[in-house]
Amino acid sequence: MKRVCVYCILLAMMMLPQFIYAQKYTISGYVKDKATGEDLIGANVMVVGQTIGTSANGYGFYSLTLPSGSYDIIYSFIGYSDDTVHVKLNADKTLTVHLSSSAIMTQEVVVTAERKANVQSSQMSVVRLPVETVKSLPAFMGEVDVLKTIQLMPGVQSAGDGNAGFYVRGGGPDQNLILLDEATVYNASHLFGFFSVFNADAVKDMEMFKGGMPAEYGGRISSVLNISMKNGNMKEYHVEGGIGTVSSRFTVQGPIVKDKASFIVSARRTYADALIRPFTKKTSLLRTSGYYFFDLNAKANWIINENNRLYLSGYYGYDKFVFGSKEMGLKMNMPWGNGFVALRYNHLFNNKFFSNTSVIWSNYKFNTSIEMLTMVDEDAENNENASGFALKQKSGINDWNVKQDFTWLAGPKNTVKFGINYTHHEFTPNTMTTEISDTTLGENFANDNNQFAHEIGIYIGDDFKINDRFTLYLGVRNSYFVHVGPFTRYVKDDLHQNTIDEIRYKANQPVAFYWDIEPRASFKVSINDNSSIKASYMRNSQYIHLASISSTTLPIDLWVACSDVVKPQKGSQYALGYFQNLFNDKYEGSVEVYYKTLQNQIEYMDGALPGDDISDNADNYFIFGKGYSYGVEFFFKKRVGLFTGWIGYTWSKTNKIFDEIDNGEPFPAKYDRRHDLSLTATYQITERLTASAVFVYATGNTTTLPISSYVIDGDIVNEYGKRNSYRMPSYHRLDLSVTYDIKTKKNWKSSFNFSIYNVYNHKNPYFIYVYHTGNVKDGTYKTVAKQLSLIPILPAITWNFKF
């Protein structure tokens, strides 16, 4: 009954504006790039001299209903010149507008699209970055990185060098929903976090919600990062790419049928391993060891007619690390990667009612193979006659997702979104096989105890403008999750040492069922045209967990589903902010405070080791607790001119509470950082020369170290301090880059980018390890702590081209 009442209230609020506002005729269509035909997601459509307007949706579609009359309508988008169109509305009208790109955003370029959005929109805690801004900043080894740029915003913290994932307002890396063309990306990094899986040449738009998450998003409790791929040039064929120090990329796009269908294919690969190997000795570890990654983005779209469009997107990324030593008789092979295929169909029922249907397959897998070899022919580099022992491990997750989303543009001040989302999950926990020579043992060693689950989300949300000062968003999401068989529950004794019983579930037999109501709300009050106050609340449930047994975030971390043992993660966040534009909207600033609670968090119990869950359930080795986080974020940005950039600062605190850890006392999360500062600056020196800089500073991560050592029966035993009671040294780094555009010849454009990562060669901590030296008997024994740092000063050069 309560759920019915919630929906009734929302429906009444949606219908109210229909009686208040005089609706006569509708102008609708698409906003596109004039040169390429690409849809401009989020383009603003405003009536000149009024506060009435709308923005294009995720497919470039807009709809604006106005009383009969004549209007000047301005179409704008960041980085593009505005276009003002005079229309006479005496009937419904369809109008597709093409905007021209602005090469340099100087003071003379009016950036109407961005200048009021931060103060006028009901949304808060939102990050939007143009791809060109990402490409202008210094990059690690010259490789432009979308994720690294997002981490320069307040409230978004890097996991550190050599760590995959990122942290948003005290949430863990598994609590971020990362979408690429609506497909879930479970591992967003290459090379253990040094590169992201997103090739900037294939990316069109990115948007991040740190809080105030709209109801159409669910399944994660901290944030959403929504990235859209380019559709491909509808007008003409283009090729672009870059050749860098460690990697190269190549993109081709163009029309299949001009102005009707197009495609884009973008590929990237590192090649340091291939360059080094020919110059190394056969006995060198560099010849038998190495690392590389490649990824491939592909997309095609077809405008069937004015009311129907079809999109087919795909991505595949692959990392491979190998290590081999003839002397040790050891060969290790570690591949992992993501992949997805997404088919989406847009249908326009009328000029106010838009729908999108999606069918998506996504997959993440991680494999490890370790072989102990006995060589028959010692001179053979790849000895097929080698015999020995092999251990193979695999884990991963496989999803099938069907979505139906609707957008009802009910009026100039009222937009309603509703839909349903179904996902079938298959989780592969640690599965292990062993081989001795040609004989395979333990093929069912892990009992193939995969986890199968169904997840459903039903949502509705309404964003409506009450008057010129007040805007309100209300939404609600119902989520359902059921874990089903086949599944075997291994029941442990009180000490978690022995299995005392097994419960077997048949195929599709329910193991556990959960559901939740997830309300979302945000409110904006305009103080004047240049400032506003906003507040938001969101409650989310998350039915999957990422279990990490190490202090770093790595591909070996295990995705697990909720079960009869593991309960859903729940998060609630409250946020309040003040937003201000200055000096004719050339500058913007904001201050946001937030408080977040986290329920049903997981950690491995003390003493748990990788492989303990073989022939067992992974969740038998978890402990459960809760957490909370609060903080304040400051942001100041210069938008236009020859000099642009921003400053972001976050003060925050994140604690966790587990009954089994430190007697239930709160302890800091490993990613708890009191201070996090980022500065970016870009300066257009000349028409062809641009310089940029990035500086970051962050309080060091926490860790747990021994506080004393004892010798018992000749063995050294360490006594550890409280959980995460030691804080590593602060992290700070300066990066610089210069881009020189070579003079354009006909349709050929190229540039050189010179960058230096970690300019002053600061040794930032990766982790700290402890070892013992000397002898107790002669009094030379001592305990030594050492810091491991990964990345020194790294210069890079990249040649970029486009024709």
Side-chain angles (χ1 to χ4, degrees), residues 717-731:
V717 178
N718 292 321
E719 179 184 352
Y720 284 83
K722 290 186 176 182
R723 179 69 64 95
N724 295 338
S725 57
Y726 178 82
R727 191 171 293 277
M728 291 192 286
S730 298
Y731 182 103

Side-chain angles (χ1 to χ4, degrees), residues 174-175 219-221 540-545 562 568-570:
D174 63 317
Q175 296 169 0
R220 301 294 188 276
I221 62 174
N540 299 58
S541 287
Q542 179 173 331
Y543 299 100
I544 63 175
H545 299 251
C562 286
Q569 301 186 63
K570 295 183 184 296

Side-chain angles (χ1 to χ4, degrees), residues 626-668:
K626 58 186 179 181
Y628 60 89
S629 179
Y630 54 88
V632 56
E633 301 166 1
F634 299 88
F635 183 68
F636 186 78
K637 179 180 180 181
K638 185 176 187 294
R639 290 174 169 165
V640 296
L642 297 176
F643 178 83
T644 58
W646 69 80
I647 300 174
Y649 170 76
T650 305
W651 183 97
S652 63
K653 187 172 185 177
T654 303
N655 279 348
K656 289 191 173 184
I657 303 171
F658 285 72
D659 291 340
E660 295 87 350
I661 299 176
D662 296 338
N663 298 316
E665 295 181 9
F667 64 90

Side-chain angles (χ1 to χ4, degrees), residues 578-597:
Y578 173 75
F579 301 81
Q580 173 78 58
N581 284 4
L582 301 167
F583 304 108
N584 196 28
D585 303 314
K586 294 173 184 176
Y587 298 83
E588 73 167 85
S590 64
V591 180
E592 295 188 44
V593 295
Y594 69 88
Y595 180 80
K596 177 190 288 186
T597 60

Side-chain angles (χ1 to χ4, degrees), residues 630-738:
Y630 54 88
V632 56
E633 301 166 1
F634 299 88
F635 183 68
F636 186 78
K637 179 180 180 181
K638 185 176 187 294
R639 290 174 169 165
V640 296
L642 297 176
F643 178 83
T644 58
W646 69 80
I647 300 174
Y649 170 76
T650 305
W651 183 97
S652 63
K653 187 172 185 177
T654 303
N655 279 348
K656 289 191 173 184
I657 303 171
F658 285 72
D659 291 340
E660 295 87 350
I661 299 176
D662 296 338
N663 298 316
E665 295 181 9
F667 64 90
K670 66 181 179 183
Y671 41 85
D672 170 61
R673 292 179 185 168
R674 202 66 66 245
H675 307 284
D676 197 287
L677 172 72
S678 61
L679 296 89
T680 74
T682 301
Y683 183 62
Q684 188 86 30
I685 301 172
T686 68
E687 185 178 349
R688 292 160 59 185
L689 187 63
T690 304
S692 61
V694 169
F695 175 76
V696 295
Y697 172 89
T699 303
N701 286 346
T702 63
T703 189
T704 308
L705 294 178
I707 56 175
S708 61
S709 299
Y710 303 94
V711 179
I712 302 177
D713 296 331
D715 296 324
I716 298 173
V717 178
N718 292 321
E719 179 184 352
Y720 284 83
K722 290 186 176 182
R723 179 69 64 95
N724 295 338
S725 57
Y726 178 82
R727 191 171 293 277
M728 291 192 286
S730 298
Y731 182 103
H732 52 90
R733 190 189 77 241
L734 173 67
D735 307 329
L736 299 174
S737 77
V738 175

Side-chain angles (χ1 to χ4, degrees), residues 266-284:
S266 187
R268 186 173 56 157
R269 192 195 192 279
T270 57
Y271 39 66
D273 58 320
L275 293 177
I276 293 173
R277 189 169 292 116
F279 303 98
T280 58
K281 298 179 179 180
K282 289 185 177 181
T283 56
S284 172

Side-chain angles (χ1 to χ4, degrees), residues 1-248:
M1 178 62 72
K2 290 183 178 180
R3 279 180 283 167
V4 173
C5 291
V6 171
Y7 286 126
C8 290
I9 293 170
L10 281 172
L11 183 61
M13 296 179 72
M14 294 173 207
M15 296 303 297
L16 180 63
Q18 311 311 308
F19 300 99
I20 297 176
Y21 304 117
Q23 296 184 14
K24 296 296 183 181
Y25 301 109
T26 300
I27 180 171
S28 61
Y30 291 84
V31 185
K32 296 177 174 288
D33 184 301
K34 185 175 183 179
T36 66
E38 286 277 358
D39 301 324
L40 298 181
I41 300 172
N44 275 16
V45 183
M46 299 292 295
V47 178
V48 176
Q50 300 186 34
T51 58
I52 297 174
T54 187
S55 58
N57 68 7
Y59 297 91
F61 176 77
Y62 75 94
S63 177
L64 186 61
T65 300
L66 300 166
S68 177
S70 296
Y71 300 92
D72 289 322
I73 299 179
I74 185 168
Y75 296 82
S76 56
F77 189 70
I78 183 67
Y80 287 75
S81 298
D82 297 349
D83 188 9
T84 303
V85 179
H86 181 79
V87 295
K88 186 175 182 180
L89 276 184
N90 51 23
D92 289 343
K93 185 179 183 65
T94 299
L95 179 64
T96 294
V97 175
H98 295 83
L99 301 182
S100 299
S101 175
S102 298
I104 303 174
M105 291 200 308
T106 62
Q107 274 87 344
E108 288 74 27
V109 178
V110 181
V111 285
T112 311
E114 188 191 21
R115 69 184 184 187
K116 295 295 186 185
N118 66 309
V119 295
Q120 291 183 347
S121 171
S122 63
Q123 294 177 341
M124 65 178 298
S125 309
V126 180
V127 175
R128 294 184 179 93
L129 284 174
V131 176
E132 294 308 314
T133 298
V134 176
K135 290 184 175 181
S136 69
L137 297 177
F140 175 71
M141 297 302 290
E143 187 64 38
V144 174
D145 197 314
V146 172
L147 284 187
K148 287 288 191 293
T149 306
I150 288 290
Q151 292 165 22
L152 298 174
M153 307 303 291
V156 185
Q157 297 178 349
S158 164
D161 293 339
N163 285 269
F166 54 92
Y167 306 98
V168 179
R169 291 184 170 177
D174 63 317
Q175 296 169 0
N176 305 312
L177 178 62
I178 303 175
L179 301 173
L180 179 60
D181 269 7
E182 299 187 21
T184 302
V185 178
Y186 283 97
N187 182 49
S189 297
H190 290 301
L191 188 55
F192 307 106
F194 289 116
F195 299 100
S196 79
V197 301
F198 305 112
N199 184 344
D201 288 346
V203 171
K204 174 170 61 176
D205 181 78
M206 68 192 76
E207 181 179 52
M208 181 179 220
F209 293 91
K210 301 181 293 181
M213 192 184 299
E216 59 261 35
Y217 298 112
R220 301 294 188 276
I221 62 174
S222 278
S223 75
V224 176
L225 176 59
N226 188 17
I227 298 177
S228 300
M229 288 170 53
K230 292 178 180 177
N231 293 332
N233 196 308
M234 283 275 191
K235 306 291 185 180
E236 56 188 8
Y237 294 98
H238 280 284
V239 175
E240 64 179 307
I243 300 174
T245 311
V246 297
S247 66
S248 290

Side-chain angles (χ1 to χ4, degrees), residues 304-317:
I304 302 171
N305 53 43
E306 287 186 357
N307 296 326
N308 298 279
R309 299 182 176 211
L310 199 63
Y311 301 84
L312 179 64
S313 307
Y315 168 83
Y316 181 68

